[in-house]
Amino acid sequence: MATEQEYYLWALKIRYCLSVIDSSLPEDRAKPEKGPMLLEQFSTIGHDVIKHAFKHLIEDKFFFMPYPFGSVFIIKNPSQDEGFGLVDVSHPHWALTIALPNNRILSVIFTDRGLVKRSLQEQYKSKGGLSILWKEFEKSTPTGFFSQHLTFRLLLMQYQLSNIPYGVSLKKNGVYSKKLPNKLKYREKLKLPVISQIAEFCGFSKEVAQDVYRSLPANYRG
């Protein structure tokens, strides 16, 4: 069975190729003056890291630190739909959720250095682990939009974290993140424009973002 890092790299290939394709497709075919779906300068963000990683993967001693390099989740697909379900999120949030065979879903957050998963594990350690989270989430989420809701929730968690180390060192023997924090820190306030942007990436309306924002404690709204 594939490791979480192998799933991470597989999803990264898909995410990067889609960003390149999006930069060549018009946002509106009827109005080509509106430009491409994704500006070229955004499609090439992270290119150096990705190119370095895949160029050296054939080497025996090539490392990623941390390992896996992002948060990787493989969970049961409650919709029982093995179709090509896909949620693709480009810069600046970088995520991919896709349906797998045998009624599973793969969701990857690429640039959080695994801290979203670590945060959730810490929150649910005393409750019985992440399996409890997925059961709670399945009960409260419409199966027809499960992948979108899953991606939205994970990206909101990424946004809440305030001390993700985004610096990267590219060395001959690997890809290394800046030192990970011993203790996770969280933003004091969340902003509606950012929540709205994440919602739009996941295929949700501004109304959904506003509902989420209004559900926050008053002192947590920025």
Side-chain angles (χ1 to χ4, degrees):
M1 184 176 177
T3 65
E4 288 191 353
Q5 178 65 15
E6 288 170 334
Y7 275 117
Y8 175 93
L9 292 171
W10 178 71
L12 184 61
K13 290 180 184 179
I14 298 173
R15 164 84 285 282
Y16 183 67
C17 289
L18 287 174
S19 69
V20 173
I21 292 172
D22 287 346
S23 69
S24 66
L25 296 176
E27 181 179 349
D28 188 340
R29 292 184 180 181
K31 298 178 180 179
E33 66 275 9
K34 294 181 69 174
M37 294 176 63
L38 183 67
L39 295 177
E40 186 175 357
Q41 61 262 39
F42 293 143
S43 71
T44 56
I45 290 176
H47 174 78
D48 292 344
V49 176
I50 296 169
K51 183 178 179 181
H52 181 79
F54 288 121
K55 181 180 179 181
H56 293 89
L57 279 178
I58 58 173
E59 299 177 8
D60 291 334
K61 295 183 179 180
F62 189 81
F63 303 97
F64 291 85
M65 187 63 66
Y67 185 95
F69 206 68
S71 290
V72 179
F73 303 91
I74 303 173
I75 65 175
K76 175 186 173 183
N77 185 350
S79 69
Q80 302 294 307
D81 180 7
E82 295 190 18
F84 191 66
L86 177 69
V87 182
D88 171 42
V89 179
S90 60
H91 172 81
H93 304 292
W94 277 77
L96 185 91
T97 298
I98 187 170
L100 297 177
N102 300 319
N103 288 315
R104 295 177 300 157
I105 289 177
L106 169 67
S107 192
V108 178
I109 310 298
F110 293 106
T111 61
D112 74 322
R113 307 298 184 259
L115 297 189
V116 168
K117 189 168 189 177
R118 176 175 148 189
S119 176
L120 290 172
Q121 287 172 330
E122 289 179 0
Q123 292 178 41
Y124 278 81
K125 183 178 181 180
S126 62
K127 300 178 182 179
L130 293 184
S131 61
I132 303 301
L133 167 63
W134 304 134
K135 288 179 181 178
E136 293 176 356
F137 189 66
E138 183 177 340
K139 288 180 180 178
S140 63
T141 304
T143 56
F145 299 94
F146 189 83
S147 293
Q148 289 94 323
H149 280 280
L150 173 63
T151 311
F152 186 40
R153 176 159 181 172
L154 294 177
L155 288 178
L156 285 177
M157 174 60 71
Q158 178 178 237
Y159 173 41
Q160 288 176 298
L161 291 167
S162 64
N163 62 336
I164 296 174
Y166 289 108
V168 175
S169 295
L170 305 181
K171 300 182 180 181
K172 186 176 180 180
N173 71 333
V175 178
Y176 296 83
S177 169
K178 284 188 175 181
K179 185 178 179 181
L180 300 184
N182 293 324
K183 184 178 180 180
L184 300 179
K185 295 182 180 180
Y186 298 85
R187 299 182 190 277
E188 294 182 357
K189 296 181 182 292
L190 301 185
K191 298 180 179 180
L192 178 58
V194 179
I195 295 175
S196 296
Q197 184 186 58
I198 294 172
E200 183 178 1
F201 271 121
C202 295
F204 294 125
S205 65
K206 291 182 179 179
E207 288 72 23
V208 170
Q210 290 169 350
D211 287 343
V212 170
Y213 185 72
R214 284 193 291 264
S215 71
L216 299 173
N219 62 350
Y220 200 33
R221 302 173 199 162

